[in-house]
Amino acid sequence: MPAVCPSLMSADPLRFGEQVPALLDAGACVFHVDVMDGRFVPNLMMGTEITRGIAGLVRERGGRVDVHLMVERPGDAIGWFAPHADMISVHVEADPHPHQLLGQIRAAGCLAGIAINPGTPLEVVMPLAERLDYVNCMGVNPGFSGQSFIPGTLARLRALRDMLPTTVALQVDGGIGPANAADARACGADLLVSASAIFGAPDPVAAYADLVERVAAA
Ligand code: DX5
Ligand code: ZN
């Protein structure tokens, strides 16, 4: 079952307690938390305590928390976030030992994901396949929400889907909205992350529901 995953990067931090339950009521089950260190990406956000708070809201209703670590050498951060996460992705560009990190994520009890920037060759995922639960294929260069989707991402999703075992889920993150959600799904994306298209809309629940409908029809 494909899922639209609200990315809390664009939510109003003073209204998490209202916006997260409203999206859970609307059927959202995977919430994406972006962690940035100001080094791997030029932005800083989302620490362990806010993630703990979000996890409380999400998990009491059976939802899952997906932590996307955009940090250099994320080894230590895996341990910090794992208690508040069900899925964790690390960037293949951020550490020389991604294979080891994926094992560390699973050992911490989370599903393990590898994230790849738009300029990274797709083949890097193949030697990691045995330790992978999902691949996060970036649709933008990470760091900020609200950027335009890079059109070549669709071909990258298709190629990844062909390349990867069916046991590995495909996530797309960045620039996903009403104009391209169905295309991304048709190209093989199972988990469609969206921040600004949901939280930048006047009614985030309606915007979420609209994306779900487009993905289901794809
Ligand atoms: C970007 C983050 C994304 C971001 C997506 O660096 O990894 O998860 O929240 O934002 P939108 O959907 O607005 O492109
Ligand atoms: Zn993300």
Side-chain angles (χ1 to χ4, degrees), residues 32 34 68 70 136 173 193:
H32 186 84
D34 289 305
H68 176 193
M70 285 159 279
N136 178 357
D173 182 12
V193 175

Side-chain angles (χ1 to χ4, degrees), residues 86-137:
D86 304 283
M87 310 163 53
I88 296 180
S89 67
V90 290
H91 270 265
V92 72
E93 307 85 359
D95 195 288
H97 304 292
H99 188 263
Q100 198 171 44
L101 293 176
L102 293 170
Q104 201 180 322
I105 295 170
R106 281 185 172 174
C110 297
L111 296 177
I114 201 78
I116 54 172
N117 284 335
T120 299
L122 302 177
E123 291 68 27
V124 296
V125 302
M126 288 318 290
L128 306 172
E130 57 163 356
R131 289 192 171 188
L132 269 180
D133 297 303
Y134 64 109
V135 171
N136 178 357
C137 178

Side-chain angles (χ1 to χ4, degrees), residues 5-10 32-36 41 43 45 68 70 91 136 138-149 172-177 193-198:
C5 314
S7 166
L8 294 166
M9 181 169 177
S10 294
H32 186 84
V33 172
D34 289 305
V35 178
M36 306 186 178
V41 289
N43 202 351
M45 63 164 51
H68 176 193
M70 285 159 279
H91 270 265
N136 178 357
M138 295 303 301
V140 300
N141 286 292
F144 300 93
S145 59
Q147 300 183 74
S148 301
F149 185 70
V172 62
D173 182 12
I176 293 295
V193 175
S194 181
S196 52
I198 293 176

Side-chain angles (χ1 to χ4, degrees), residues 166-198:
T166 51
T167 49
V168 178
L170 193 50
Q171 182 175 62
V172 62
D173 182 12
I176 293 295
N180 56 20
D183 291 342
R185 172 61 186 151
C187 289
D190 306 298
L191 300 163
L192 295 94
V193 175
S194 181
S196 52
I198 293 176

Side-chain angles (χ1 to χ4, degrees), residues 122 137 151-164 170 183-184 186-189:
L122 302 177
C137 178
T153 307
L154 292 176
R156 285 166 65 78
L157 288 170
R158 227 178 286 121
L160 282 166
R161 192 62 286 165
D162 286 347
M163 216 182 264
L164 289 164
L170 193 50
D183 291 342
C187 289

